[in-house]
Amino acid sequence: MKKNNERQLDTGIPGSISSAMDLRGRQSVRATFRLSGACIDAISILSAQLGIKQKSVFDHLMEDAQILKNIAVELENSEFNRHERIQKTFVISRRSLTFLDSASRKHNAPRDALVEYSVRRLLPIIANERKKHEKRKAILAEISDHFDEGRRLLLKAEEALDRDDPIVNKLDTAMSVYKNVLDDIAGFIERGKIIEEFQPD
């Protein structure tokens, strides 16, 4: 019995070390890049439209080592035009920054260029989100009309019964919840308006 406990303890240690290393890799760090305005907008759009943190966008881009390597090879020893680029600091994971720095050093590819061209890979996602954004706006208009009908029905119920009537109370509660949902949807679409004017380089 004692030997079994010892074996369990021994196999648990490497797992603990691995978990600790994994947590350090996910630790947030700040990294500054010089990127085009379109690239910075694309990162913001992806974060807002997909409901994820910008850190998660970088994780998605940088943790596919093979694709990052392919981009770095294409950019190897190339000149990266830094004119009209904007310096911006992002919060990314330590692991993503390590992958990025490693690919940059190994292939002598500008780190900023690696980020720029990695983001361009996601432009089809933005194009798809732009279409969804237009559909969401149309649906929001229908939801607003439906909400207005509900408000009119509530007023009609108040006139026919009275404000303390159980049916009126329940309908009033339902409309209050509906209003909160409507505001949330409208807010989400408002935050996504940046996609309407987005023009990739």
Side-chain angles (χ1 to χ4, degrees):
M1 190 71 180
K2 183 178 180 181
K3 289 182 179 179
N4 287 340
N5 289 338
E6 288 175 352
R7 281 200 298 272
Q8 290 174 2
L9 180 62
D10 289 341
T11 56
I13 291 175
S16 299
I17 294 173
S18 176
S19 297
M21 292 176 66
D22 184 60
L23 287 173
R24 289 193 195 97
R26 296 178 186 278
Q27 183 182 29
S28 296
V29 295
R30 292 184 180 276
T32 300
F33 308 107
R34 291 188 65 85
L35 306 170
S36 67
C39 181
I40 293 171
D41 286 346
I43 294 171
S44 297
I45 288 169
L46 288 165
S47 176
Q49 293 295 115
L50 301 180
I52 60 177
K53 295 180 179 179
Q54 291 186 357
K55 176 183 174 183
S56 297
V57 175
F58 277 96
D59 285 344
H60 174 78
L61 291 171
M62 303 304 156
E63 293 194 0
D64 191 329
Q66 186 57 50
I67 292 179
L68 192 61
K69 175 186 174 183
N70 293 343
I71 295 173
V73 169
E74 291 180 14
L75 293 171
E76 195 166 3
N77 299 316
S78 65
E79 291 290 329
F80 184 58
N81 185 0
R82 295 180 179 275
H83 295 299
E84 297 184 4
R85 306 261 167 199
I86 302 167
Q87 182 171 302
K88 186 169 177 61
T89 299
F90 294 91
V91 174
I92 68 176
S93 70
R94 186 180 298 278
R95 176 180 296 169
S96 293
L97 185 59
T98 298
F99 288 160
L100 178 61
D101 286 341
S102 176
S104 176
R105 287 194 303 270
K106 186 174 181 179
H107 299 283
N108 193 29
R111 197 174 74 164
D112 295 343
L114 280 175
V115 174
E116 185 90 25
Y117 282 86
S118 292
V119 170
R120 289 184 186 181
R121 284 176 40 227
L122 302 182
L123 291 181
I125 296 177
I126 294 179
N128 186 53
E129 285 299 314
R130 190 201 298 267
K131 293 177 183 177
K132 283 187 178 180
H133 177 73
E134 293 304 318
K135 291 177 181 178
R136 287 174 182 138
K137 287 200 300 181
I139 291 173
L140 174 61
E142 292 187 34
I143 294 172
S144 295
D145 290 342
H146 190 255
F147 175 78
D148 289 340
E149 288 180 14
R151 292 296 299 173
R152 286 193 291 271
L153 179 58
L154 175 60
L155 291 173
K156 183 177 179 180
E158 288 177 349
E159 290 174 0
L161 304 167
D162 60 68
R163 299 198 65 176
D164 294 329
D165 188 88
I167 291 179
V168 174
N169 286 334
K170 290 182 183 298
L171 184 56
D172 186 46
T173 299
M175 293 309 300
S176 295
V177 173
Y178 200 161
K179 180 64 165 61
N180 289 335
V181 172
L182 177 60
D183 289 344
D184 285 344
I185 294 173
F188 176 81
I189 293 175
E190 181 65 28
R191 290 192 296 275
K193 271 193 169 181
I194 186 176
I195 204 170
E196 296 177 14
E197 300 176 359
F198 176 72
Q199 295 292 335
D201 291 341

